[in-house]
Amino acid sequence: MARTLADKIWDAHVTATTAAGSDLVAIDRVFLHERTGASALKSMAAAGRPVVDPRRVFAVMDHIVDTRPGRGDQTLMPGGQAFITETRAAAMAAGITLFDVTDPDQGITHVISPELGIVLPGCTLVAPDSHTCTQGALGALAWGIGSSEAEHAMATGVLRLPRPKTMLVRFDGALSPGVTAKDMALALIAAHGAGGGAGHVVEFAGSAVRSLDIEARMTLCNMATEFAAMAAIIAPDEKTYAWLAGRRYAPAAFDAPYWADLHSDEGAAFDRTIIIDASAIAPMITWGTSPEHAIPIDATVPTGPTRAHDYIDLAPGTRILGTPIDVAFIGSCTNARLSDLRRAAALAKGRHIAPSIQKALVVPGSGAVKRAAEAEGLDKIFEAAGFEWRESGCSLCFFAGGESFPAGSRSISSTNRNFEGRQGPGIRTHIASPEVVVASAIAGVIADPRLLEAQA
């Protein structure tokens, strides 16, 4: 019987089925971070449960670690240093691989796992972070879990789960110039709601998806959790295997029959199918307090929930172009890879942020991304344009109680969530592509990057 890609990977990892119908699914990789890693490992140690296979478990300092130059264990977050030191001690005691604060391979979980070849096509990977779905861009089944589930996966090598539904989201046609994977994701969520993918593994397909490079595919899959999907996946192709070749944890060759079969069969039945005309997508930006509150950048603010309008301070009918902004942020597991920084720097080159911008940050997604960007001189371009160049980490993708933007700021951000207070108390966040962030920071107001591109 024809099967979807998600079903093939699921079936290959089912070790048993319970009387209630749930499956015991083998977990190939577990990835921890310092915000929850220590608690999971310490809880296991207290119960006398060892990690069943330490080779399959990895941890990194990314969520709380400071991103200012010269950083160490100390953070601006009250009590943050304890998260770091306790995770370090627990990881060493458990014998798992740790990418520590000063490790050259340190970075955001969903950036370093692919770039090191930890995630591979056809594997299962879990992490206590909702944006684990990012890694489905490599053809893996990857999803976010809680700390107690992380303990279970580390102690037993399996998780008990009901089989998820499957959804095909097909982007047909070609993207217009200046339109990115971030815009594809926001267009999907705006049209079908922030809960549209609930209970499903979403497979992204179609000519527009196949044309994306691997890093852009990660951006698309990253946003699937904002669609409430359990996971997202893209069938691996020649681009995937070429991108993974030679990476530290990748095999010498992808020649096993299992890898050749990692695609949805012709005629495979999905529980739901959505078809989107990629050529009709414009650069997108959010206007409210949910990723589903997204509109084309040249549109007016629609009528939505009163609380969202009140918080973001934009009335229905307002043209979003020209809205003054105070701060700008380029970073996160969504848009902080080398290709993101290259595109952003191309727009920033020879220009400067507006005098009204109080703070503008560029935070690379990993140490490797930072070094590669610096080798190309991208750091100098950003600094000349008035941006701060930081060390890698999650930074102000979310407010952890430490560093923040000035109170009440309106932020233009390449991150993934625009919830109330996501970047700090009272911060009003508009999420968009890195290109929109740069164009807006230069103009001092929300601006269309296509106008800058036309001037280049």
Side-chain angles (χ1 to χ4, degrees):
M1 185 173 64
R3 293 183 297 164
T4 68
L5 172 57
D7 283 329
K8 288 180 179 181
I9 298 174
W10 190 274
D11 291 342
H13 287 79
V14 171
T15 62
T17 300
T18 68
S22 294
D23 292 327
L24 294 183
V25 180
I27 303 302
D28 297 319
R29 308 280 191 274
V30 180
F31 222 118
L32 307 174
H33 56 75
E34 81 278 27
R35 198 177 187 197
T36 56
S39 61
L41 291 169
K42 289 166 64 177
S43 176
M44 288 177 63
R49 298 189 182 98
V51 175
V52 67
D53 190 348
R55 299 170 304 168
R56 297 174 180 261
V57 182
F58 303 82
V60 67
M61 309 296 191
D62 66 351
H63 273 62
I64 293 169
V65 64
D66 202 290
T67 62
R68 293 173 300 171
R71 69 181 177 191
D73 289 354
Q74 292 185 339
T75 73
L76 291 176
M77 173 187 169
Q81 184 172 350
F83 284 90
I84 292 171
T85 56
E86 290 179 14
T87 297
R88 180 181 297 131
M92 292 178 65
I96 67 173
T97 299
L98 171 66
F99 303 104
D100 211 334
V101 175
T102 58
D103 193 301
D105 294 316
Q106 180 273 341
I108 303 172
T109 302
H110 318 305
V111 176
I112 68 170
S113 176
E115 71 185 15
L116 292 171
I118 293 170
V119 63
L120 295 171
C123 84
T124 55
L125 183 149
V126 295
D129 186 294
S130 59
H131 291 101
T132 305
C133 55
T134 305
Q135 303 184 54
L138 281 301
L141 196 56
W143 67 96
I145 56 173
S147 293
S148 59
E149 290 174 300
E151 291 180 45
H152 194 99
M154 289 189 287
T156 67
V158 299
L159 285 176
R160 183 178 64 186
L161 298 158
R163 181 182 291 264
K165 294 181 179 180
T166 58
M167 179 188 297
L168 175 66
V169 176
R170 201 176 76 207
F171 288 91
D172 290 338
L175 296 173
S176 299
V179 179
T180 71
K182 182 69 157 289
D183 305 311
M184 294 168 71
L186 288 174
L188 167 67
I189 299 166
H192 297 278
H200 292 75
V201 174
V202 174
E203 180 174 345
F204 291 115
S207 56
V209 173
R210 290 194 299 273
S211 70
L212 296 175
D213 62 33
I214 299 302
E215 295 189 350
R217 293 179 187 184
M218 291 187 214
T219 296
L220 181 60
C221 288
N222 173 275
M223 294 293 290
T225 192
E226 314 311 332
F227 190 47
M230 171 192 170
I233 196 166
I234 296 173
D237 56 13
E238 291 182 1
K239 288 183 183 179
T240 312
Y241 296 116
W243 193 88
L244 284 167
R247 297 185 185 271
R248 184 182 309 170
Y249 292 94
F254 291 93
D255 52 5
Y258 178 64
W259 279 308
D261 194 42
L262 290 177
H263 58 82
S264 289
D265 296 328
E266 185 175 353
F270 291 83
D271 293 292
R272 186 182 176 193
T273 297
I274 295 173
I275 299 174
I276 296 174
D277 178 4
S279 67
I281 300 173
M284 302 287 289
I285 189 167
T286 59
W287 64 263
T289 56
S290 165
E292 73 178 11
H293 298 154
I295 55 176
I297 199 164
D298 56 359
T300 57
V301 175
T303 300
T306 299
R307 178 167 174 166
H309 286 291
D310 290 344
Y311 184 84
I312 208 72
D313 194 23
L314 290 175
T318 303
R319 191 165 182 259
I320 201 158
L321 280 174
T323 301
I325 60 166
D326 305 300
V327 296
F329 182 84
I330 296 174
S332 82
C333 58
T334 314
N335 280 125
R337 297 175 180 83
L338 185 58
S339 57
D340 297 310
L341 302 188
R342 284 172 174 161
R343 297 195 317 272
L347 289 180
K349 188 174 184 179
R351 299 182 170 97
H352 199 277
I353 62 175
S356 59
I357 301 299
Q358 301 172 43
K359 193 171 190 176
L361 304 181
V362 179
V363 184
S366 71
V369 168
K370 182 175 185 286
R371 291 190 298 275
E374 290 172 348
E376 296 181 13
L378 304 187
D379 58 323
K380 302 304 182 186
I381 293 173
F382 285 120
E383 288 174 338
F387 288 86
E388 293 182 39
W389 180 250
R390 292 294 191 91
E391 299 290 340
S392 60
C394 295
S395 187
L396 278 170
C397 174
F398 75 103
F399 177 69
E403 184 175 17
S404 65
F405 290 127
S409 297
R410 186 180 297 276
S411 167
I412 183 76
S413 179
S414 74
T415 52
N416 41 57
R417 288 178 175 163
N418 55 326
F419 305 154
E420 293 183 23
R422 173 71 178 182
Q423 291 187 298
I427 305 300
R428 296 163 292 171
T429 300
H430 299 271
I431 56 175
S433 69
E435 290 91 328
V436 171
V437 175
V438 171
S440 302
I442 290 168
V445 298
I446 292 175
D448 190 333
R450 294 172 295 185
L451 299 180
L452 283 185
E453 290 167 349
Q455 297 169 13

